[in-house]
């Protein structure tokens, strides 16, 4: 029997947490030994498969013989900017939905409630920052590198990542500052990608030989910065009792949605969650006469209006166009995969409207247009965006000297094919779990999720065969001929015609 507190005497925070922990253990049980074994086996398999490759990327055997390059530093800053964006998407302080429902409004210590989340964020920052600092030292430090250099790089990177996490914590409780910080984070990340691509095209900037302090001084500075960052984390923990409720509740909803994606194996939840969060945060929307413009078809005008509303994401697309140039020194299949996936993401900027058409065709019936005409209008704007992105990405490779020939024209010709793949992917609904299960060491995995993930990518891979074959075979000094461009244009046109032909003759069949 559980002893209840006397009336009028509030229970202590420790007793409340202990009572909740006991009830959870009684309902769910303790951690299963089999689950621990499967997780440990999965980690060992990942280390065995990709551990050597990741170690070679983080710590190559020999640094560049031409001297330390500034590209590594720029890449580290881009990684920290991406970490900030991820933290802003997750909270960064997030609790479970049950705790947000029952404990957040209860008279319990908010400091004890949020301390596990703060510790998790700090630990993730330490791991990411340490790995980033180690990668920077691996590409810049001379060989052999002593333990002082390694420790200094790890502590400095960890301190920088914790500072980024503290900025994200500060933004979570101040929405006005968060808008400015989010824009700054996106600008820093995109700017670093563009600068790194510029180094790849026009020659990188070499750091002077004596740019790094001695190992002892670097270790002392790193330890001092790490101690100051951890002290700031402790100071933030003391102020957790004064945190507002709304940001924590919103972070709990987002964390619960991500947990649902993992538990239900339903990745389509993420797209819906992203759309809801975007439009919920969108304020100050003004009316426009674009939709009422007589010279523009209504659905094309709607897609243009969506591009205008999501203009901030165009900066990420512009920065992403530099990724194939940054990966030009790697294997051809890597640059090809990044190019195709990036083009598909760029053309999917207006995919929300196509998904709405498939989910609610009754609105299209009111327009009195056929399904084929709907498909033609929905392909127009994504084709232009995909063509521009492909031209920028392949043009960057051409300027960098990795490719020779009219590659920018090949990117333009691939635009309709990219739009067809994005259209096919946007029409997909939730993943089907009624298909054959695939046995893995972590349990059975529904094949329907894999089919949902590759939906649209398969169409794009077939329609962009000239681009793929050209990237794998027509490397410099061989020159790409115009027949490749004509072949890609014919493939794109054929794919769009087949998609339009297969579309329903009326919107009732959409």
């Amino acid at each position: 029997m559980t002893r209840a507190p006397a009336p009028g005497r509030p229970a202590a925070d420790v007793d409340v947490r202990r009572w909740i922990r006991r009830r959870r253990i009684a309902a769910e049980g303790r951690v299963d030994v089999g689950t621990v074994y499967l997780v440990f086996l999965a980690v060992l398999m990942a280390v065995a498969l990709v551990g050597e490759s990741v170690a070679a990327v983080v710590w190559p055997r020999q640094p560049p013989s031409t001297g330390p390059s500034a590209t590594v530093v720029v890449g580290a800053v881009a990684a920290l900017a991406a970490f900030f964006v991820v933290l802003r998407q997750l909270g960064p302080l997030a609790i479970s939905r049950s705790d947000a429902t029952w404990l957040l409004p209860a008279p319990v210590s908010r400091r004890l409630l949020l301390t596990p989340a703060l510790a998790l964020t700090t630990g993730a920052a330490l791991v990411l920052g340490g790995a980033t600092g180690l990668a920077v030292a691996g590409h810049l430090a001379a060989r052999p590198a002593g333990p002082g250099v390694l420790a200094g790089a790890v502590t400095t990177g960890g301190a920088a990542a914790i500072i980024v996490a503290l900025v994200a914590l500060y933004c979570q409780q101040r929405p006005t500052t968060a808008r400015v910080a989010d824009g700054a984070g996106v600008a820093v990340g995109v700017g670093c990608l563009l600068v790194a691509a510029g180094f790849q095209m026009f020659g990188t900037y070499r750091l002077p030989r004596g740019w790094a302090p001695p190992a002892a001084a670097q270790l002392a500075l790193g330890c001092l910065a790490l101690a100051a960052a951890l002290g700031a984390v402790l100071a933030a923990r003391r102020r957790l009792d004064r945190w507002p409720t709304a940001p924590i509740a919103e972070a709990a909803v987002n964390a619960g949605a991500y947990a649902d994606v993992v538990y239900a194996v339903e990745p389509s939840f993420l797209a819906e969650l992203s759309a809801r969060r975007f439009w919920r945060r969108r304020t100050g929307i003004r009316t426009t006469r674009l939709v009422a413009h007589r010279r523009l078809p209504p659905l094309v005008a709607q897609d243009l209006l969506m591009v205008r509303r999501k203009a901030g994401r165009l900066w990420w697309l512009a920065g992403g166009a530099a990724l194939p140039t940054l990966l030009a020194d790697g294997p051809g299949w890597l640059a090809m995969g990044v190019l195709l996936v990036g083009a598909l993401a760029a053309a999917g900027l207006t995919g929300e409207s196509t998904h709405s058409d498939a989910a609610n065709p009754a609105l299209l019936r009111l327009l009195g247009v056929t399904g084929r005409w709907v498909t033609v209008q929905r392909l127009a704007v994504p084709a232009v965006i995909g063509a521009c992105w492909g031209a920028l990405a392949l043009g960057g490779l051409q300027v960098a000297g990795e490719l020779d020939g009219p590659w920018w024209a090949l990117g333009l010709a691939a635009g309709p094919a990219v739009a067809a793949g994005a259209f096919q992917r946007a029409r997909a609904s939730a993943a089907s779990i009624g298909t054959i299960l695939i046995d893995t060491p972590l349990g059975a995995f529904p094949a329907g999720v894999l089919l949902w993930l590759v939906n649209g990518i398969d169409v794009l891979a077939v329609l962009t065969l000239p681009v793929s074959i050209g990237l794998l075979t027509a490397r410099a000094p061989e020159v790409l001929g115009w027949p490749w461009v004509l072949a890609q244009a014919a493939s794109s046109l054929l794919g769009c015609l087949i998609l339009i032909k297969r579309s329903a003759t009326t919107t009732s069949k959409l």
Side-chain angles (χ1 to χ4, degrees):
M1 178 180 295
T2 305
R3 181 177 299 177
R9 297 178 58 186
D13 299 332
V14 178
D15 296 335
V16 173
R17 302 286 297 188
R18 185 181 297 112
W19 185 86
I20 294 174
R21 190 181 304 109
R22 289 175 179 175
R23 292 301 178 272
R24 286 179 176 174
I25 293 175
E28 303 174 0
R30 297 184 181 273
V31 179
D32 189 11
V33 179
T35 304
V36 177
Y37 167 74
L38 291 177
V39 172
F40 184 69
L41 179 62
V43 172
L44 290 180
M45 291 177 61
V47 172
L49 291 175
V50 300
E52 186 176 356
S53 301
V54 173
V57 173
V58 174
W59 191 269
R61 294 182 178 179
Q62 292 295 333
S65 58
T66 56
S69 173
T71 306
V72 182
V73 181
V74 174
V77 176
L80 293 178
F83 179 59
F84 173 80
V85 174
V86 172
L87 287 180
R88 288 288 299 131
Q89 292 293 323
L90 298 177
L93 287 187
I95 57 179
S96 63
R97 284 176 292 191
S98 58
D99 289 346
T101 302
W102 301 105
L103 297 182
L104 190 60
V108 297
S109 175
R110 189 159 295 181
R111 181 188 302 176
L112 294 178
L113 181 63
L114 298 178
T115 295
L118 181 61
L120 180 61
T121 302
T122 305
L126 279 173
V127 173
L128 178 67
T132 303
L134 189 62
V136 172
H139 288 80
L140 298 181
R143 302 294 190 273
V149 176
L150 300 181
V154 171
T155 53
T156 304
I162 290 178
I163 292 174
V164 171
L166 290 173
V167 174
L169 289 173
Y170 182 83
C171 295
Q172 185 177 3
Q173 54 182 336
R174 290 172 175 81
T176 305
T177 308
R179 297 189 184 95
V180 179
D182 291 342
V186 172
V188 170
V190 173
C192 289
L193 291 177
L194 295 178
V195 170
F199 286 160
Q200 188 75 15
M201 295 177 186
F202 307 107
T204 184
Y205 173 75
R206 300 295 175 184
L207 298 175
R209 292 293 180 180
W211 68 275
Q218 184 178 356
L219 179 58
L221 291 176
C223 293
L224 181 61
L226 183 60
L230 293 177
V233 171
L234 294 178
R237 180 182 179 275
R238 289 194 295 267
R239 295 192 299 269
L240 289 179
D241 289 330
R242 299 192 295 270
W243 268 57
T245 303
I248 303 175
E250 181 181 1
V253 173
N254 296 332
Y258 289 118
D260 292 340
V261 171
V262 177
Y263 179 76
V265 197
E266 183 49 81
S268 62
F269 288 170
L270 292 179
E272 298 178 1
L273 173 65
S274 177
R276 287 197 301 267
R277 291 185 65 183
F278 175 80
W279 294 112
R280 185 171 65 248
R281 294 180 178 180
R282 188 72 178 176
T283 58
I285 296 180
R286 300 179 181 179
T287 58
T288 179
R289 298 181 181 180
L290 183 62
V291 178
H293 202 284
R294 295 183 179 180
R295 297 183 180 180
L296 287 176
L299 300 183
V300 175
Q302 183 188 10
D303 287 345
L304 290 176
L305 183 61
M306 185 167 294
V307 172
R308 179 182 175 183
R309 298 287 188 239
K310 298 181 178 180
R313 298 186 179 183
L314 295 177
W315 292 103
W316 275 116
L317 296 179
L323 287 177
T325 305
L326 297 179
L327 301 175
D329 296 335
W333 61 266
L334 181 60
M336 180 186 65
V338 172
L339 179 68
L340 296 182
V341 174
L344 189 65
L349 187 66
T350 60
E352 185 179 346
S353 58
T354 304
H355 185 74
S356 300
D357 294 342
N360 190 10
L363 296 178
L364 291 179
R365 299 194 194 106
L366 299 177
L367 297 177
V369 294
T370 63
R372 294 178 180 176
W373 183 236
V374 170
T375 304
V376 171
Q377 295 186 47
R378 290 303 188 194
L379 288 176
V381 177
V384 174
I385 297 177
C388 294
W389 195 92
L392 287 175
L394 291 177
L397 287 171
Q398 183 180 351
V399 174
E402 299 293 334
L403 304 174
D404 193 5
W407 286 91
W408 58 271
L410 189 65
L412 290 177
V418 174
F423 182 85
Q424 189 70 18
R425 184 169 182 81
R427 287 200 305 179
S429 59
S432 175
I433 59 175
T435 55
I436 300 175
L437 297 178
I438 301 175
D439 291 331
T440 65
L442 296 179
F445 191 79
V449 178
L450 295 179
L451 297 177
W452 186 91
L453 291 176
V454 301
N455 186 30
I457 301 179
D458 51 353
V459 176
L460 181 63
V462 173
L463 297 181
T464 57
L465 280 178
V467 177
S468 303
I469 297 174
L471 284 175
L472 294 177
T473 61
R475 290 292 182 118
E478 297 182 9
V479 180
L480 177 76
W482 284 100
W484 288 95
V485 180
L486 295 179
Q488 180 57 62
S491 177
S492 300
L493 181 60
L494 180 62
C496 291
L497 289 178
I498 293 176
L499 184 62
I500 295 172
K501 186 70 175 179
R502 293 186 59 186
S503 300
T505 56
T506 60
T507 56
S508 60
K509 296 181 181 180
L510 284 175

